Amino acid sequence: MANIWVFIDQFKGAALAASWETLGAAKKLAADLGGATVTALVLGQNVEGVAKESFEYGADAAMLCDDATLADFRVRPYSALIAKLYKEAAQKPEVILGPATTRGRDVFGMAAVELGTSAIADGAGLNVKDGAVYVTRPAYAGKLLSTVVAKTRRPQVITLRPRAFPKPEPMAGKTGAITRVDPALKEDEIRTKVMGYAIDEGKVSLADAKIIVSGGRGVGGPEGFAPVRDLAETLGAAVGASRAAVDAGWIPYSNQVGQTGRTVSPDLYIASGISGAIQHQAGMRTSKLIVAINKDAEAPIFKLARYGVVGDLFKILPALNVEFKKRLGK
Ligand code: FAD
């Protein structure tokens, strides 16, 4: 029987929603592969709870490495461990899946190198033909969808775009067998050390956000983000930005959406004061509903938007905020 491994991305013992979405996609893939076993790979420190949780989201088994060297994410100890587990596995997985989160992308690129296989990044659809997994992924900054297959190389190492697959409903109380494994590297074999973390702007993470309110050069300065943040607060949304606003130093880079920033796929993306350059679109065009607010009726963002408001964001955003507050009873 085929095996599928799923890397569970977690931060300080809390799994990212994208990890469970990936597990859900793995279960569907397992059925398409004729009944494969899905094993969650849980790496970190104090993460046994995540391994247990993985069963509720569909894992048949879990491999757990709970070790101080894995407390902070560093690509080498994580990728070396995945490669070691693969090489030592009696039943090697056909497919290794992970979420295309910042850590997932990092570790899968490196693990693929260590395994001498190819990595297919940012999958938004999976299909099986003759035992091979065909991955649909955005190409040309999201303008086209391409289908990619690793024809000969095994394992097939694939990351999946967050929010492109549904998160399964947890099955409360479902359990399974946890296999504990040792780390691949000792602390003195690891060349980097995490010195600390900077607090991200905004309360909601861009990657997981169901709603994003973004601002661009049109906000005119750092204080121009106030109405963007106010509306985001009301909607429980994350704050996004164009590169122009980030380059101007008005908002941190971690808020940037686009080709050289985050790729996001929320249910609702509100772009205010953003022209809609192709590089910005590359990061947000798969959003389910796009609303654009721009005072230039010719701005390219309107071609992408389902709803467009031609007007001044400093009038439209506060008006939307008042109306949403009223309707949401805030
Ligand atoms: P502008 O294009 O200047 O647009 C500002 C808009 O605000 C205008 O449409 C204007 O009409 C409108 N406006 C002004 N005042 C108001 C107001 N009061 N009310 C309403 N609307 C108003 N960009 C990204 O965003 N993300 C990326 O990851 C990215 N990566 C890049 C990578 C490369 C290699 C390159 C070359 C570029 C990249 N860019 C990226 C930059 C991109 O090409 C654009 O320059 C950038 O997206 C423009 O940002 P903007 O829309 O905020 O600014």
Side-chain angles (χ1 to χ4, degrees), residues 215-220 241-247 250 253 256-262 269 271-284 292-302 309-316:
R217 204 193 315 263
V219 307
S242 72
R243 177 160 156 180
V246 171
D247 283 351
W250 300 343
Y253 168 70
Q256 184 180 316
V257 172
Q259 188 180 316
T260 44
R262 296 287 180 125
Y269 187 89
S272 56
I274 292 177
S275 61
I278 178 78
Q279 297 88 353
H280 188 78
Q281 291 190 19
M284 46 65 79
I293 302 162
N294 197 302
K295 58 183 188 187
D296 173 10
E298 302 299 319
I301 192 80
F302 286 127
V309 185
V310 180
D312 184 350
L313 69 93
F314 293 103
K315 292 196 181 121
I316 309 296

